[in-house]
Amino acid sequence: MTNRSLLFLLLSFFSFSLQAQLILITEEEGTEPLEGVTLLSDDPKAFAVTNLYGKADISAFKGSSLIQIRSLGYESMNISYSELEQGKFKIRLKATHLQLDEVVISASRWKQNTSNIASSISTIKPRDIQLQNPQTAADMLTLSGKVFVQKSQQGGGSPMIRGFATNRLLYSVDGVRMNTAIFRGGNIQNVINIDPFTLEKTEVLFGPSSVSYGSDAIGGVMSFQTYEPQFSLEEKSLVKGSVSSRYSSANNEVSGHIDLNIGFKKWALYSSFSNWNFGDLRQGSHGPDDYIKDYHVERRNDQEVLIRQGDELLQVPSAYSQTNLLQKVRFKPNEKWDLNYTFNYSETTPYGRYDRHNRVRDSLPRYAEWDYGPQKWMMNLISIEHESGAIIFDEMALKIALQNFQESRISRNLFDDERDIREEEVDAYSINIDFNKSIGANHTLFYGVEYVLNDVSSGGRIENINTMVERAGPSRYPDAQWSSAAIFLSEEYKFNEKLNLLGGLRYNYYRLEADFKDNIAFYPFPFTETQLENEAVTASLGAVYRPIDKWVLRTNAGTAFRAPNVDDIGKVFDSEPGAVLVPNPDLEAEYAYNLDLGVAKVFGDLLKIEATAFYTLLENAMVRRDYRLNGLDSIVYDGELSQVQAIQNAAEANVYGVQFGFELQFLKNLKLSTDLNYQVGEEETDDGVVSPSRHAAPLFGVSRLTFEKKRTRVQFYVEFQDEFKADELAISERSKTEIYAQDDAGKSYAPSWYTFNLKAQHSFSPHFSLSTGIENIADIRYRPYSSGISAPGRNFFVSLTAKI
């Protein structure tokens, strides 16, 4: 190839093929531009979102016979490119508050209209966050009204969805799985690493989703999508940004956020910085006295001192701080290619695990210290999207990610001079290649491959707090590598205008290698290493039927799996004389089988009702059982003949329930909405006893009355949870007197509760807004089910935002 030919090809690649064609979308009443309106076309494949000025480049839509235009709070519109051309590329949308459709990406990892998806999906958008002002991403998830969040400490939040939690849920950030090989069965708090200020959209997909996401996607998927840098659509550059600050009284929160978007024709950058400072959390004044701990331990003059608090409602220690950084760089050389680089970083200060500080022994606090060390998360992501008329695909998306996770646990018994420190680090590498291809007018294929590698390092040390001399100590996990490789395929078939059929299949191979050599000095195991490898196949089949425009019926049947991870294998460190836990190289994946039935109906412009019933059966659940090692059922461990046990696929669990919601538009500016969630679960414990499921929360929900007019929104809402009596608690929960209230018989139970809350937001101009509110107006003292720390008492907050 000549130099001139090469130069010509490069210039062709890095140039716009045509002058951009802009569309302007405004409100029907007035000329207010609408930001965030989505435009979607299947033929040709194209997607666009309007910017701050209500404009979007729709050059790629030319020739489309059907462009779907969607925006929350406005009537959807289907229109052709030629009709837009006749209207001089200006659209005015009519306000409405009852919708069945919107564009989501969590189902297939491609942008789709919910009218084509069999799974139930709930979305949380920036306007919800701006009104509600959640302090963390865990708090933000509760805005859906369908996700229950447990907390063991203020710096935490472990979502529960349809009776599943922790390593049976999947977390995704910008399409990259956040789950690691040390996600445990107990409660986790990794979700707080995500910055709510930077989220363009959050989608919660309910039910098994392993076909698209692989291991762990049993109860559902939480897909967090950060802001995408915006290009300039004009000759001049686009510069926009915002500065926000917030104060909350219940924990003396002082938070700040700043972001900046700089856009040119082909390049765009988005930068964000957020910082939170949370003081000790004050609980409410009216509720169970069992939740009050009016003391904490301090070390003064080399002595442990029990401090009686002046305010018995303060939960000490619970204070912490957090900092988040986000940098994104986007390059779009032409309409066919879109390249992005993302850098995400989050770090907390150490924070106390409050539920452990509630434990007592001999009428004294058991621990002088029990803290999580700084929790750090870093993600580097390169993503490339390409549109092509190739035979094998229309669109391709490549994501290459490197994540680093660091966490630690620091504990010391009261009056003990030695502090136990356990530190974990995970390097998570992943590569995903996704494709889609339309075959004729009715068939769309989604397929791809995925590879994930987790490199786990774990260490332990014991530190003398007087001399600061350290010695080696046992680690929480073995050093290990966990890997997964998969290929998957799904199809969407438009049977006719009313019926969509969907199906998918995934093959997954996984492998785990663990090295226990560093812990032989502390645990005299008869082994030094182990490995396991296996495979899993999952499938899904669903249908969406729309007899009329405002009536939708959905059904979805699917399987999901959870592959054994390092936390499962690492349970060997629970060994003690009398019972020794050994690795099981034949351990297989847990399997879930699920059936959903859903219905949604809009009655005029007055009422929307939706309900979904579900049933999930979990088989091959991993539990501890008696085992044989080299033919022996007992071996000598730590000088004592001990029963051999191993984690085995020997249990079952099942969950069923209903999710119900409605929206009632009283008047043009006044709406009432309610979400209810009812779930019942049973699971086998390690000893084979059938118990209520630990992660099936009591009946919970939220009702909201919202007034909205022009630049003002006011919302009064009630959050609530039903009671779990003593015999309704999971067996493993009944002995946890430090986190539950006690009934008249002295047994643990989870009381019912409800809170009244009032929020308001007003935009004084397009550049300045104020949000304020009172949460828990009645100052109720309560704990969400299974939580080890009480929720905030009466909380006043104020937030100011300035935009350029």
Side-chain angles (χ1 to χ4, degrees), residues 44-81:
K45 293 282 187 183
F47 179 80
V49 181
T50 58
N51 65 13
L52 179 66
Y53 309 105
K55 295 181 179 180
D57 180 3
I58 60 167
S59 304
F61 290 76
K62 189 170 184 178
S64 176
S65 60
L66 179 62
I67 300 173
Q68 303 172 54
I69 302 176
R70 305 283 185 266
S71 181
L72 184 67
Y74 295 87
E75 286 189 357
S76 300
M77 177 180 290
N78 294 332
I79 194 170
S80 68
Y81 188 89

Side-chain angles (χ1 to χ4, degrees), residues 661-675:
F662 74 83
E663 298 177 26
L664 178 62
Q665 193 72 40
F666 282 112
L667 302 169
K668 179 181 178 181
N669 304 111
L670 192 63
K671 180 170 72 174
L672 174 68
S673 64
T674 291
D675 283 294

Side-chain angles (χ1 to χ4, degrees), residues 139-150:
D139 299 330
M140 181 204 65
L141 286 169
T142 65
L143 303 186
S144 68
K146 299 178 175 68
V147 178
F148 192 90
V149 173
Q150 177 276 352

Side-chain angles (χ1 to χ4, degrees), residues 685 689-692 729-735:
T685 62
V689 175
V690 176
S691 163
L729 288 178
I731 292 175
S732 61
E733 296 291 286
R734 296 174 188 176
S735 62

Side-chain angles (χ1 to χ4, degrees), residues 136-201:
T136 68
D139 299 330
M140 181 204 65
L141 286 169
T142 65
L143 303 186
S144 68
K146 299 178 175 68
V147 178
F148 192 90
V149 173
Q150 177 276 352
K151 290 188 178 183
S152 298
Q153 64 279 330
Q154 185 174 203
S158 188
M160 299 181 185
I161 299 176
R162 289 189 175 185
F164 295 99
T166 60
N167 56 17
R168 290 171 180 158
L169 300 177
L170 196 286
Y171 301 75
S172 171
V173 179
D174 289 334
V176 177
R177 67 180 286 133
M178 196 181 193
N179 294 43
T180 72
I182 62 171
F183 266 37
R184 56 190 181 275
N187 300 308
I188 58 176
Q189 58 271 356
N190 299 74
V191 72
I192 68 170
N193 287 127
I194 299 166
D195 182 356
F197 284 112
T198 64
L199 293 175
E200 191 168 54
K201 195 176 187 183

Side-chain angles (χ1 to χ4, degrees), residues 64-332:
S64 176
S65 60
L66 179 62
I67 300 173
Q68 303 172 54
I69 302 176
R70 305 283 185 266
S71 181
L72 184 67
Y74 295 87
E75 286 189 357
S76 300
M77 177 180 290
N78 294 332
I79 194 170
S80 68
Y81 188 89
S82 61
E83 288 173 318
L84 287 177
E85 196 170 26
Q86 293 169 16
K88 298 182 179 179
F89 299 101
K90 294 181 179 179
I91 290 291
R92 301 175 74 181
L93 295 184
K94 181 181 179 181
T96 184
H97 299 279
L98 303 174
Q99 293 176 298
L100 290 176
D101 300 335
E102 63 179 305
V103 175
V104 297
I105 67 170
S106 57
S108 65
R109 310 212 303 204
W110 291 102
K111 297 177 180 73
Q112 289 179 282
N113 196 301
T114 50
S115 62
N116 301 330
I117 297 170
S119 299
S120 175
I121 297 176
S122 178
T123 62
I124 303 168
K125 296 187 176 179
R127 71 190 313 267
D128 304 315
I129 296 172
Q130 291 160 11
L131 174 65
Q132 296 293 338
N133 278 271
Q135 293 188 340
T136 68
D139 299 330
M140 181 204 65
L141 286 169
T142 65
L143 303 186
S144 68
K146 299 178 175 68
V147 178
F148 192 90
V149 173
Q150 177 276 352
K151 290 188 178 183
S152 298
Q153 64 279 330
Q154 185 174 203
S158 188
M160 299 181 185
I161 299 176
R162 289 189 175 185
F164 295 99
T166 60
N167 56 17
R168 290 171 180 158
L169 300 177
L170 196 286
Y171 301 75
S172 171
V173 179
D174 289 334
V176 177
R177 67 180 286 133
M178 196 181 193
N179 294 43
T180 72
I182 62 171
F183 266 37
R184 56 190 181 275
N187 300 308
I188 58 176
Q189 58 271 356
N190 299 74
V191 72
I192 68 170
N193 287 127
I194 299 166
D195 182 356
F197 284 112
T198 64
L199 293 175
E200 191 168 54
K201 195 176 187 183
T202 299
E203 299 173 10
V204 182
L205 189 154
F206 298 93
S209 306
S210 282
V211 169
S212 294
Y213 291 93
S215 178
D216 305 356
I218 290 178
V221 173
M222 290 157 284
S223 174
F224 303 92
Q225 301 155 36
T226 60
Y227 278 111
E228 192 171 63
Q230 292 188 10
F231 298 107
S232 172
L233 301 178
E234 314 288 347
E235 290 303 319
K236 62 181 181 180
S237 60
L238 170 67
V239 178
K240 69 171 189 173
S242 69
V243 178
S244 299
S245 61
R246 183 175 62 225
Y247 171 77
S248 301
S249 63
N251 54 2
N252 286 317
E253 177 209 11
V254 178
S255 298
H257 166 80
I258 184 170
D259 63 63
L260 179 66
N261 185 101
I262 302 176
F264 305 98
K265 284 286 189 179
K266 301 178 183 180
W267 290 89
L269 299 92
Y270 176 83
S271 305
S272 167
F273 172 82
S274 301
N275 180 260
W276 298 263
N277 291 282
F278 303 107
D280 291 315
L281 181 63
R282 187 184 187 278
Q283 60 186 323
S285 57
H286 308 293
D289 291 340
D290 303 294
Y291 297 159
I292 294 177
K293 178 177 73 72
D294 62 353
Y295 60 85
H296 63 274
V297 176
E298 290 185 8
R299 189 168 180 82
R300 297 179 178 177
N301 300 320
D302 295 330
Q303 297 292 324
E304 240 73 87
V305 180
L306 195 66
I307 304 298
R308 289 291 173 182
Q309 297 168 191
D311 184 351
E312 67 177 8
L313 301 180
L314 277 181
Q315 300 176 97
V316 183
S318 59
Y320 78 104
S321 299
Q322 181 172 331
T323 299
N324 274 54
L325 298 170
L326 174 63
Q327 178 63 59
K328 304 187 84 168
V329 180
R330 185 181 180 192
F331 176 53
K332 193 170 184 179

